[in-house]
Amino acid sequence: MTVTDRQLTENDEPTSSNLGDLADFADFPTEPPVDLPGVLARLEALQAIADRQPPRFAEDGLACFNYLYREITTEVWEQIQAGGFRSEEFISRLDVEFAKRYLDAVVPRTDGRPVPESWRVLLDRRSEPHINRIQFAVAGVNAHVDFDLAFALLTTCRALGRPFGEDEHYDYNRINDIFGEHMRSLRQHFEDPWMRFLDGGLLSLVADKGGDLMVVIARDLAWNRAKDLAELTGPAFDEKSAEIDHAAAVAGVVLLEVPVM
């Protein structure tokens, strides 16, 4: 067993402190969102809850990722309203299905279902003082894109009866553009003061382009993974799902261990 695998098995299930106190979610909507305004309302509510989570409060690991996710989703909604996609139906449904998987993973549950391994990595370590905010945000992107996205895409295409076609791929890749347009401002939001002092010139350009490229590669993999999953059923589908979840969890551990500048 590797060091990474040992870290993944130390806490098989998150405690209530990892997920937050159920009382904090007393007014949180119990039904999944059905549209993007509903998604954004839930992300706003979750941000307020995570920002109050001791001991790191607004620097809490889940708060860091949720902030990034809320900003990107807000821009997607604005682009939809401005006619920036070929199919409003497809991209809206994809974003809703994507958000449903995130909320299902991180909002405390009472039905006994396990939290995905990839999300437990962030939730179990969301309060650790030595992990910086950029690491938390990147670890959340890893879990959401490397694990959730392929399944959200598959669910969307099946629900709408849509192929993995050219128009769908165009709209899917438009999200990459939105990430790229916001990468610098989002990265700077999470920088510590000393990082901001060093930020500039070539170092800044490399960080922005490198982060943008990582997102593009991960989303390309998710697109191809969804097409592969569409060919699987039964135990083969379940085994592949667990494999994708575990791989994302291993990557998440590494991202939280390696300091980000």
Side-chain angles (χ1 to χ4, degrees), residues 38-48 66 69-70 73 102-103:
V39 168
L40 289 170
R42 286 161 176 78
L43 294 181
E44 288 284 352
L46 184 56
Q47 191 69 47
N66 193 80
Y69 186 36
R70 183 190 61 185
T73 304
Y102 166 60
L103 295 169

Side-chain angles (χ1 to χ4, degrees), residues 120-153:
R120 291 206 313 263
V121 171
L122 177 61
L123 294 171
D124 286 348
R125 305 184 66 183
R126 60 188 290 188
S127 299
E128 292 189 13
H130 69 281
I131 300 175
N132 66 50
R133 292 180 295 169
I134 294 178
Q135 287 175 273
F136 282 138
V138 172
V141 171
N142 168 74
H144 204 27
V145 174
D146 283 7
F147 177 53
D148 290 331
L149 183 53
F151 297 96
L153 178 58

Side-chain angles (χ1 to χ4, degrees), residues 183-199:
M183 184 61 67
R184 181 178 177 83
S185 62
L186 288 169
R187 179 176 59 79
Q188 289 179 331
H189 172 80
F190 293 115
E191 286 179 336
D192 295 326
W194 69 271
M195 291 180 179
R196 201 168 295 118
F197 175 75
L198 293 173
D199 190 16

Side-chain angles (χ1 to χ4, degrees), residues 84-98:
F85 296 93
R86 292 181 181 177
S87 173
E88 176 183 335
E89 178 188 47
F90 170 76
I91 206 66
S92 296
R93 182 62 179 264
L94 175 58
D95 257 36
V96 169
E97 294 297 336
F98 197 31

Side-chain angles (χ1 to χ4, degrees), residues 74-251:
T74 297
E75 178 64 20
V76 172
W77 175 231
E78 291 175 356
Q79 289 290 327
I80 288 173
Q81 293 176 296
F85 296 93
R86 292 181 181 177
S87 173
E88 176 183 335
E89 178 188 47
F90 170 76
I91 206 66
S92 296
R93 182 62 179 264
L94 175 58
D95 257 36
V96 169
E97 294 297 336
F98 197 31
K100 284 164 62 176
R101 290 187 63 89
Y102 166 60
L103 295 169
D104 188 57
V106 304
V107 173
R109 53 185 68 186
T110 58
D111 57 7
R113 289 178 299 116
V115 175
E117 186 181 10
S118 49
W119 279 111
R120 291 206 313 263
V121 171
L122 177 61
L123 294 171
D124 286 348
R125 305 184 66 183
R126 60 188 290 188
S127 299
E128 292 189 13
H130 69 281
I131 300 175
N132 66 50
R133 292 180 295 169
I134 294 178
Q135 287 175 273
F136 282 138
V138 172
V141 171
N142 168 74
H144 204 27
V145 174
D146 283 7
F147 177 53
D148 290 331
L149 183 53
F151 297 96
L153 178 58
L154 177 60
T155 299
T156 298
C157 287
R158 284 178 169 172
L160 298 179
R162 303 284 288 263
F164 295 94
E166 180 181 343
D167 286 345
E168 290 75 17
H169 199 220
Y170 173 87
D171 283 344
Y172 181 85
N173 283 337
R174 277 284 293 122
I175 307 298
N176 297 345
D177 298 335
I178 292 173
F179 256 105
E181 291 162 4
H182 288 75
M183 184 61 67
R184 181 178 177 83
S185 62
L186 288 169
R187 179 176 59 79
Q188 289 179 331
H189 172 80
F190 293 115
E191 286 179 336
D192 295 326
W194 69 271
M195 291 180 179
R196 201 168 295 118
F197 175 75
L198 293 173
D199 190 16
L202 182 59
L203 176 62
S204 175
L205 178 63
V206 169
D208 294 338
K209 294 300 182 183
D212 190 19
L213 181 60
M214 287 176 60
V215 170
V216 170
I217 291 172
R219 287 178 55 83
D220 281 349
L221 288 172
W223 176 271
N224 292 324
R225 192 175 286 141
K227 293 196 292 185
D228 292 340
L229 287 167
E231 304 299 321
L232 303 177
T233 58
F237 183 91
D238 294 339
E239 290 173 10
K240 189 63 176 178
S241 300
E243 177 186 316
I244 295 169
D245 188 19
H246 181 69
V250 171

